[in-house]
Amino acid sequence: MLTNKKIILAVTGSIAAYKTPELVRQLVKQGAEVQVLMTRAAADFVSPLSLSTVSKNSVYSSVSDNDQWHNHVHLGRWADVMLVAPCSANSLAKMAHGLCDNIVQAVYLSATCPVLVAPAMDEDMWIHPSTQANVQKIQSYGNTIIEPEHGELASGIIGAGRMADPERIVQFVAGFLAQKAEKQALSIYKKALITAGPTYEKLDPVRFIGNYSSGKMGIALAQNLAQQGVAVTLVLGPTKETVSMPGITVVKVESAQEMYAQCEAVFEEMDLVIMSAAVADFRPAEQAKEKIKKKEDLDHMTLELVKNPDILATLGQKKTKQVIVGFALETNNELEHAQAKLVKKNADFIVLNSLNDKGAGFGTDTNKVTIISTNKPPYELPLQSKADVAREIINYISRS
Ligand code: CTP
């Protein structure tokens, strides 16, 4: 089940550390290569000699031992998964706050692999608001918690906080890695280009023509694809949303012309292109160098606008191997307009948003869409979070 998997087991100072030789034994039995790290407190509960014997590897208790430096960055990259078990309340707090005063924290902060955390502590410590806040914090960093069990604790109290049984942890790790491999195999795309957010078309140094798009839908799509191992280029218009995730290269742009240039530069190498940006169709014919002054004797002002490139339509014409997905935001005759865009822009799918649907469209955290394609009837999705909409869109186009 774990054949050739490289696992870092980080043992921290909790009584449950006495169970770790059995945990290592089971991981090794399943075919994993295990590198054990320990904090100094962990050595009060389990001997490094036991762990090095069962893991068949030296145990690292410090960033350097004698005259040897253990490259924590290398360790964090070497592993398929890092398992912190048992994770004490103290180590959990350090992980939540980025402290780095021992080898476990140094490797954790450097790890590019997924990190699984099996907390172990007395019930009162486990349910304390600060511990629970720390759990949420490390989950928000993308780490996964292996929930502690209910049972007899070191204090003699019966309650929650006991480290999950070694057998359950091994099953969890195996299931986690199998699911990750399945996701990677599932993704038929290697490289994806996504546009998101609004564009701003400059009028003068202080004014622009723009729209209310937040970019949240495109960001959710980028995150979903990156989680599946797809290399994503996200061309992002001006928005206050920030994106930082391994696998996503963010290219910030302001105007439609800039967005077009960045998309064109990478289009050829892409397998999947999703244009969710709300691109301004027109821009001011001229950008004034100085602020445009109000003319006291004029009650009206006319702005001359010129057409922007239609990024989706232009790339649609250049399509070779790419699957192209466009968006359509409509207020009336929605299906008809979306279907017309599918043909006109040579897209494979159009994701239709109707401004008549509550909770759909710009700025919200939810969306309600219908996916249009040539050979199938419209596929209507319920109102749900943008993350769930993203997952359903990707699943649908991957299956089609
Ligand atoms: N789009 C684009 N470049 C533009 C305008 C739109 O790439 N200059 C893309 C959008 O990212 C979206 C799709 O085209 O994927 C449809 O955008 P939408 O604004 O709904 O349609 P328009 O073509 O602008 O047509 P209209 O405004 O008349 O509805």
Side-chain angles (χ1 to χ4, degrees), residues 324-370:
I324 301 191
V325 184
F327 271 67
L329 181 63
E330 307 292 346
T331 55
N332 61 312
N333 296 336
E334 292 93 336
L335 277 177
E336 203 180 301
H337 283 141
Q339 239 127 18
K341 279 177 192 169
L342 183 76
V343 178
K344 203 169 103 195
K345 306 205 183 201
N346 202 23
D348 299 287
F349 302 92
I350 290 283
V351 180
L352 166 65
N353 271 139
S354 168
L355 269 195
N356 297 321
D357 287 327
K358 242 182 143 194
F362 284 172
T364 58
D365 288 321
T366 54
N367 207 358
K368 183 173 184 307
V369 303
T370 302

Side-chain angles (χ1 to χ4, degrees), residues 275 277 279 281 309-312 326-329 341 345:
M275 308 254 112
V279 186
D281 290 326
D310 188 320
I311 309 170
L312 176 59
F327 271 67
L329 181 63
K341 279 177 192 169
K345 306 205 183 201

Side-chain angles (χ1 to χ4, degrees), residues 199 201 255-262 279 283 287 308-309 311:
T199 64
E201 310 299 326
S255 67
Q257 283 179 303
E258 284 167 18
M259 187 173 271
Y260 173 63
Q262 294 295 342
V279 186
R283 65 179 182 276
Q287 284 181 12
N308 266 328
I311 309 170

Side-chain angles (χ1 to χ4, degrees), residues 132-144:
Q132 289 303 310
N134 288 336
V135 166
Q136 279 186 12
K137 246 200 172 117
I138 68 163
Q139 282 175 319
S140 76
Y141 304 151
N143 305 310
T144 304

Side-chain angles (χ1 to χ4, degrees), residues 88-90 120-132:
S88 65
N90 190 39
M121 61 200 78
D122 246 284
E123 185 177 51
D124 294 336
M125 296 165 82
W126 173 243
I127 60 175
H128 194 280
S130 62
T131 305
Q132 289 303 310

